[in-house]
Amino acid sequence: MELIIDDLSKTYSNGVKALQNISLEIPQGMFGLLGPNGAGKSTLMRTIATLQEADKGTISLGDLNVLKQKKKVMQVLGYLPQQFGLYPKIPAMVLLNHLAVLKGITNGSERKEVVASLLHKTNLYDVRKQNLGGYSGGMKQRFGIAQALLNNPKLLIVDEPTAGLDPVEKNRFYNLLCEIGENTVVILSTHIVEDVKELCTNMAVINQGQVLLKGNPLKIIEDLEGKVYQKTIHKDDLEGYKLEYKVISEKLFLGKPVIQIISDSDPGDGFSSVKTDLEDVYLSQIYSANNNLKSIS
Ligand code: ADP
């Protein structure tokens, strides 16, 4: 099963062009949708999840016309939105059981089995009787995944799922997503480059409603290999460097500003070559887009 998005556009009534001619082919497995805040990720996720309309374009999932056959899409869709409301005073197992009824699993013994199996899968079985209000951030997110998997979806959408999770919880959450991605199309929307690098076999970078780049993360890194340079500079010289070079990032290292630039050839001038990271690719694309340049790579 493959999700195909073709020429999708959406302009909000306030004039914001949230999606501009988006076309993506998303195969089974983990797909990372990367972009800064306001890029249009949630708008795209909500449109795929049939929760809002597009102005133009089509989306198909296998044989389904997503924008027209909404009820059928709902049957094969799992969605974990950015804001996921829970009832704090209800035990996880009770709520999951209730949600299973709402999702149409009416047979009692079947439901019991599905609920137990999802609680095991998300590693929440031992804490199934605890109220959700006492769950940690990671446990809540895993519960969010459990509810999203109730109908055994073919397409799972998770919007910015790792915000606020500590590294251990994040890792556990990643592992769970990877497992699901073995037989499901999983779309992970995030502004965290690490999430995509570690998890996804395919990705796209979007900014201001447009696709800047798409493909396999490792291949994308390879294309920029050898073009990233860095240098420790004096704070006062930063603006000068920005005028002269394609500065994609500035950070402090041991209290001193370090800039990274993109250059097709060795710039000399005290710069040294550094290993390309997905973060560099991402930043360079955002840099190009914001400076109305064509792709640097
Ligand atoms: P992201 O999820 O990448 O942060 P969004 O899809 O939430 O991006 O937003 C894309 C753009 O659309 C932003 O400029 C945002 O302010 C705007 N936007 C989002 N929702 C609405 C809305 N309901 N009405 C008007 N503008 C909106």
Side-chain angles (χ1 to χ4, degrees), residues 220-238:
I220 285 172
I221 292 172
E222 210 177 285
D223 288 347
L224 206 65
E225 201 65 72
K227 295 181 185 168
V228 184
Y229 295 84
Q230 79 174 29
K231 182 179 180 181
T232 304
I233 60 161
H234 291 288
K235 201 172 69 199
D236 300 342
D237 298 336
L238 180 61

Side-chain angles (χ1 to χ4, degrees), residues 89-115:
K89 293 193 174 144
I90 298 181
M93 190 171 70
V94 174
L95 183 57
L96 197 58
N97 187 64
H98 177 67
L99 293 172
V101 175
L102 295 182
K103 285 216 176 172
I105 311 177
T106 47
N107 179 307
S109 58
E110 184 198 346
R111 192 167 63 243
K112 208 170 157 192
E113 214 171 284
V114 169
V115 166

Side-chain angles (χ1 to χ4, degrees), residues 12 14 16 18 36-43 46:
Y12 285 111
N14 60 359
V16 172
N37 286 331
K41 301 183 297 297
S42 293
T43 302
R46 288 197 304 263

Side-chain angles (χ1 to χ4, degrees), residues 27-165:
Q28 197 162 295
M30 294 283 304
F31 184 91
L33 186 68
L34 194 59
N37 286 331
K41 301 183 297 297
S42 293
T43 302
L44 182 59
M45 300 291 94
R46 288 197 304 263
T47 311
I48 299 169
T50 75
L51 299 174
Q52 72 178 63
E53 305 284 337
D55 299 331
K56 175 168 96 88
T58 58
I59 305 177
S60 61
L61 177 67
D63 296 337
L64 287 181
N65 179 332
V66 172
L67 299 179
K68 297 232 163 87
Q69 298 171 282
K70 293 187 182 173
K71 277 200 179 133
K72 289 205 164 141
V73 173
M74 290 311 279
Q75 287 165 5
V76 293
L77 171 80
Y79 180 47
L80 178 58
Q82 227 176 84
Q83 310 280 338
F84 177 58
L86 290 169
Y87 298 91
K89 293 193 174 144
I90 298 181
M93 190 171 70
V94 174
L95 183 57
L96 197 58
N97 187 64
H98 177 67
L99 293 172
V101 175
L102 295 182
K103 285 216 176 172
I105 311 177
T106 47
N107 179 307
S109 58
E110 184 198 346
R111 192 167 63 243
K112 208 170 157 192
E113 214 171 284
V114 169
V115 166
S117 123
L118 285 175
L119 288 168
H120 277 297
K121 189 175 187 127
T122 50
N123 228 328
L124 293 172
Y125 192 80
D126 291 347
V127 287
R128 68 192 182 284
K129 291 180 185 161
Q130 275 186 29
N131 286 351
L132 288 156
Y135 270 21
S136 69
M139 287 154 81
K140 283 181 184 153
Q141 286 303 69
R142 278 184 275 132
F143 182 82
I145 289 290
Q147 65 79 30
L149 291 180
L150 276 167
N151 55 343
N152 196 14
K154 300 271 173 287
L155 169 65
L156 177 68
I157 296 175
V158 277
D159 198 352
E160 305 259 0
T162 59
L165 300 195

